[in-house]
Amino acid sequence: MRIVKRYNPFAELEEISREFNRVLNSAKEESNNLAFIPTVNTREGDDAYYIEVELPGIKKEDININVNNEVLTVSGERKIEEESKDDEFYRIESRYGKFERSFTLPEDVDSDKIEATSNNGVLEIKIPKVQKVEKKPKKIAIK
């Protein structure tokens, strides 16, 4: 018995189409889960350094601040869902993304006294400088 395989002139084209759709779906999935990179402002005051991180729509429970080996790291995840209802349609758009920003701390900071506050989508981190005690010359009397 002889098996005859039919030639499909479009088989290669169908394979290319499947691969193209797979790549498009993969790219679409990645674009929906792109990492979020928050905007950062830094400044120095007389007694402290300040870092302001713009995190609109992110709850403070979803933000982590850590100091390890003189590196301060701000990380977390944004989870935003927008819902629209109308007589003719219902739409939910979700945006998710993890973020992380790290800052090497200068030597003159007191990392045990770092404070953070969140107000209107802006996280402010206050990094106090070590208070230097000036030692005045002292005369020692001979007894």
Side-chain angles (χ1 to χ4, degrees):
M1 177 178 203
R2 188 172 158 211
I3 298 175
V4 177
K5 186 175 180 182
R6 289 186 108 177
Y7 174 71
N8 182 354
F10 300 106
E12 190 174 323
L13 187 58
E14 289 171 355
E15 178 61 31
I16 291 171
S17 177
R18 277 193 297 276
E19 182 65 18
F20 182 71
N21 286 333
R22 185 190 66 76
V23 169
L24 279 180
N25 288 336
S26 175
K28 183 178 179 184
E29 214 172 276
E30 284 182 23
S31 70
N32 287 338
N33 295 319
L34 282 177
F36 167 59
I37 302 173
T39 304
V40 173
N41 294 316
T42 59
R43 61 185 164 85
E44 180 179 359
D46 291 336
D47 60 342
Y49 297 97
Y50 298 89
I51 299 174
E52 294 174 350
V53 186
E54 294 182 16
L55 300 170
I58 299 176
K59 299 175 187 172
K60 64 182 178 180
E61 296 83 27
D62 295 330
I63 302 169
N64 300 308
I65 304 170
N66 297 306
V67 176
N68 187 14
N69 293 328
E70 303 308 316
V71 175
L72 182 135
T73 302
V74 179
S75 62
E77 186 172 2
R78 108 177 142 166
K79 305 169 192 169
I80 299 174
E81 289 189 2
E82 295 175 359
E83 185 174 346
S84 298
K85 291 182 182 181
D86 197 335
D87 292 338
E88 298 178 18
F89 71 91
Y90 177 73
R91 179 185 72 181
I92 296 178
E93 287 190 24
S94 302
R95 290 177 292 204
Y96 298 90
K98 293 184 179 187
F99 64 90
E100 182 175 292
R101 296 291 303 261
S102 295
F103 308 89
T104 302
L105 298 175
E107 292 180 12
D108 65 338
V109 301
D110 189 350
S111 59
D112 293 330
K113 294 183 180 176
I114 295 175
E115 299 175 355
T117 57
S118 181
N119 188 18
N120 293 328
V122 177
L123 174 70
E124 182 177 76
I125 303 169
K126 180 181 178 183
I127 306 163
K129 293 180 181 179
V130 175
Q131 298 298 320
K132 294 180 183 177
V133 178
E134 287 188 37
K135 295 186 179 186
K136 297 179 183 177
K138 180 178 177 184
K139 183 164 176 126
I140 307 294
I142 300 172
K143 295 180 184 179

